[in-house]
Every structure is written in C-alpha cells, then in structure tokens.
Amino acid sequence: MGIDISNLVREDIRDFVPYDPHIYENVIKMDANENPYPFPDEILQEIYKRVKERGITRYPDPVAKKLRVELAKYTGVLPEQIIVGNGSDELIQLLLQVFGGPGTQSLIPYPTFSMYAIHTRITGGTPAGIPMQDDFSLPMEELLRGVERPENKVTFLCTPNNPTGNTIPVSQVEEVLQKAKGIVVADEAYLEFYNRETSTSLLKKYNNLAIIRTFSKAFALAGLRVGYMLASVEIIREMMKLKQPYNVNAFSQEAAVTVLKHRDAFKPQVDLIIAERERMYEALKAISGIKVYPSGSNYLMFRTEKSGPEVHHALIEKGVLIRNLHGGPGLDNCLRVTMGKKEENDIFLEKLKEII
Ligand SMILES: *Cc1c(COP(=O)(O)O)cnc(C)c1O
C-alpha cells in the first residue's frame, strides 16, 4: 500500500535496528551503569521547589547559563568552555554533525561504547575501528599513525572505558593530542569513580580536545538526560551554532544545578560503589571459570569459560539482570555487571556461583 517508505530511507542507514533495552520485570537491575541508591529525598524536594518557582510555561534557557556557571565551579574551566546536552549522547552526535559527515572517518579503538560508531554513521561518516591490545590498553602505534591522517576528523578515547573498565593514562591522551590533526574526544562519563586522572588540565594546551561528562552515572540523574562537554571556546562556539535551541528542558536544568550544589551528598554513595567494586573484583577473581578485568568505573567486565549468553540467561531466570557483551568485537563470552547495593551484589555473586 502507498509508497515504499523503506526505499526512501537514506541508503547508508537502511540496515539500522532500533535500540532495544529488553525490559524484564522483577529483576535486580545491574545492566545499565546507573546509581543503585535511592535519590536523596531532601535534594529531590529542593528540585521540585525550584521547578515550581520557575514554572514550566516558558521555554528553557537555551544556553543553560546557571548550570554552566555551576559546572565551571565544579570542573575549573570557564562557562564559555562548556556546552550542555540532552544526555551526553546528544553531544556526541552534535560534535560529529559539526566536524564529521560524509567523506570523514572517526577513529575508534574498540571494544568501546557503541554510540561513537552509531552517531558517526548517522551523521554520514565512516567509523574506523582499531582493535585494542589484549589487555584493552590503547594500540598506540597504530593510533598515532591514524590521528595524523586528515580524513580522521574525530578520535574517541573512553576512560574509564565502557565496557572493559580499564583507564587511559592522561599522558597517553596527550601523546594522541600532540599528533592529532582532528578533534580528540576523552569520554570521562565515569570520572567520579576514578577521580584521579582527568584530562581537564590539557584543555589549556590543546584546543582540539573535547571532554565528555554526564549526570547519568555518579549523580543519579539518568532519567533526566543531562550531559556536558568541556572544550576550547572555539569548539563550543561551533557546536552552539548547530545545537537545537531548547535541547535541555527546564526541569533537567534545575535538577542538575541542584545536584551540583549538593554534590557532597553523592560522595558517600560513590565511595560505597568504589568499595563494592573492589570487593566484587576479588570475589569474582576467586571463582574458577571466570576471568575478571580491573575497572576504574562502577561496573566490572568478566569472561566466562561457560557460554556467556547462557550464563546471562540463567542469571535472568534467577532474577538478576546484567549486560551480555557476547557478539561484540573481542568480547566473546564477556558480561558486564553494574555495582548494585551490597545486598544486591551478594545475591548476584550467589546466583552466579550456582550457575558456574
Ligand atoms: C553512560 C555513558 C555516557 C553518558 O550517556 P548519557 O547520554 O549522558 O546518559 C557517555 N559515555 C559513556 C561511555 C557511557 O557509558
């Protein structure tokens, strides 16, 4: 009936499939790297109060001025060096709309966050993957050769890396910046769980560096979609030109401002998550048939001798949902578990031991 719509679709994206988060009922959710603790009620009440005072009838601030001022205090850069997005996913796409596109490539050491390749393709560019080394450290020689080539407009470095958990030393980020002819992204979505090494200080020296951060993980606002980027004034100015005017809604802006003002309240949660990660690392290491990888993040990746998909499925049957990574490049029989509350982690360990 009617016109063949699929034939009208851009040829280069016809094979896309919609993101399917697989909703399961009555499971402990340890699959999406969210903060497992209840959101502090006093802070939630303050958010409601601020939203009530502001009202929702008027459009949000298109430049998120208040939030950028708070973020400047938190990160130590100028407000002019910050852009806020509807989740950092939006900013990854926006960066590629500005600097990528047909005829360009994104350099992507893998395995890593799938959104870099997806947004590269959505914006008409070509993802150029480079396999990481066996311990998931960066393939520096190949990477340094790659970033010198002018067609490689954007290079994505994720640290701590999702899903493997390992971190990239700032000195390596700088080595890449020294050679790069294009933009270098350092995705620090999980920085708060690894508060030792941020590339922020490199912003003073390199105007082609873009750092991605988010409120979705440590700051427990995944449901409100707020991410931000730190970069040179020039990069931010270019991105502001293409940004949708009202990309971050008023509720989310108020929530992010409030959370930043009370950021100390999240520190004990983050400390608990880090302590649990260390405990779980040792516990997983002690299980034979499992190889667990070190992590600077709020999740751990491990490889099973048994079939990964079968272990994943058996865990769901026992009421625990984690992420199945099998099928991804270099991720045979790999699974990723997000740190839950202590009791949840214990249930996960118990069920996993039953299965293995
Ligand atoms: C979760 C995550 C983000 C943040 O995504 P939002 O869109 O801000 O929720 C960014 N990068 C990586 C690697 C992530 O895992």
Side-chain angles (χ1 to χ4, degrees), residues 32-34 85-92 112-116 157-163 187-190 212-217 221-223 225-228 297-299 336:
N33 300 345
E34 297 141 333
N86 182 23
S88 36
D89 271 358
E90 185 196 18
L91 298 174
I92 294 169
T112 191
F113 193 43
S114 57
M115 283 307 181
Y116 310 142
L157 306 177
C158 187
T159 176
N161 186 43
N162 184 5
D187 187 339
E188 299 183 341
Y190 300 94
I212 288 173
R213 302 273 192 85
T214 182
F215 284 87
S216 299
K217 309 289 159 59
L221 287 184
R225 316 295 302 121
V226 191
Y228 58 102
S297 196
N298 65 343
Y299 51 83
R336 187 194 69 194

Side-chain angles (χ1 to χ4, degrees), residues 47-330:
I47 293 170
Y48 290 155
K49 186 166 156 274
R50 283 169 185 266
V51 172
K52 197 169 173 195
E53 278 165 17
R54 185 208 177 271
I56 53 171
T57 310
R58 305 286 179 184
Y59 282 110
D61 176 1
V63 297
K65 183 156 182 293
K66 254 198 318 186
L67 179 51
R68 285 161 80 211
V69 167
E70 286 305 314
L71 279 170
K73 290 184 209 158
Y74 176 53
T75 59
V77 306
L78 301 170
E80 296 74 34
Q81 291 182 278
I82 304 172
I83 184 168
V84 184
N86 182 23
S88 36
D89 271 358
E90 185 196 18
L91 298 174
I92 294 169
Q93 188 176 102
L94 184 60
L95 185 85
L96 288 161
Q97 282 174 334
V98 175
F99 296 103
T104 74
Q105 293 194 143
S106 299
L107 265 191
I108 308 174
Y110 69 88
T112 191
F113 193 43
S114 57
M115 283 307 181
Y116 310 142
I118 291 171
H119 286 307
T120 296
R121 290 196 54 202
I122 289 175
T123 51
T126 306
I130 317 179
M132 286 180 184
Q133 310 198 57
D134 287 344
D135 62 354
F136 304 117
S137 59
L138 287 181
M140 283 306 277
E141 267 182 44
E142 209 184 333
L143 184 59
L144 292 178
R145 272 200 307 277
V147 294
E148 285 190 311
R149 297 225 297 272
E151 70 271 25
N152 291 326
K153 287 285 199 71
V154 183
T155 299
F156 287 97
L157 306 177
C158 187
T159 176
N161 186 43
N162 184 5
T164 56
N166 62 298
T167 52
I168 299 169
V170 172
S171 59
Q172 280 192 346
V173 176
E174 180 158 23
E175 270 184 78
V176 174
L177 280 162
Q178 278 166 351
K179 289 268 158 61
K181 299 275 194 291
I183 306 289
V184 176
V185 174
D187 187 339
E188 299 183 341
Y190 300 94
L191 176 80
E192 283 84 7
F193 305 103
Y194 181 70
N195 213 347
R196 280 157 289 190
E197 286 210 274
T198 164
S199 292
T200 313
S201 64
L202 299 177
L203 288 170
K204 290 199 181 74
K205 241 167 111 182
Y206 301 94
N207 67 353
N208 56 339
L209 170 63
I211 298 174
I212 288 173
R213 302 273 192 85
T214 182
F215 284 87
S216 299
K217 309 289 159 59
F219 289 128
L221 287 184
L224 294 186
R225 316 295 302 121
V226 191
Y228 58 102
M229 181 179 282
L230 314 176
S232 60
V233 175
E234 299 106 287
I235 290 180
I236 299 299
R237 196 186 295 132
E238 295 304 323
M239 289 180 67
M240 286 288 192
K241 292 182 192 168
L242 260 69
K243 177 181 91 61
Q244 301 213 25
Y246 302 117
N247 59 329
V248 184
N249 72 70
F251 194 110
S252 297
Q253 289 192 34
E254 292 294 345
V257 167
T258 314
V259 158
L260 271 188
K261 288 204 162 147
H262 296 284
R263 58 180 172 269
D264 290 348
F266 292 86
K267 182 82 170 66
Q269 297 188 349
V270 168
D271 288 344
L272 269 175
I273 290 166
I274 293 171
E276 280 296 284
R277 178 188 75 211
E278 298 308 309
R279 181 178 76 92
M280 287 264 278
Y281 177 78
E282 295 303 326
L284 284 167
K285 214 165 121 179
I287 303 175
S288 67
I290 279 184
K291 177 172 166 51
V292 59
Y293 294 88
S295 168
S297 196
N298 65 343
Y299 51 83
L300 286 162
M301 186 173 89
F302 59 97
R303 203 185 283 271
T304 52
E305 270 170 30
K306 270 194 167 176
S307 147
E310 278 175 32
V311 173
H312 178 249
H313 186 74
L315 277 167
I316 293 172
E317 304 260 280
K318 290 174 181 286
V320 180
L321 180 63
I322 67 171
R323 181 64 62 94
N324 176 22
L325 303 170
H326 184 83

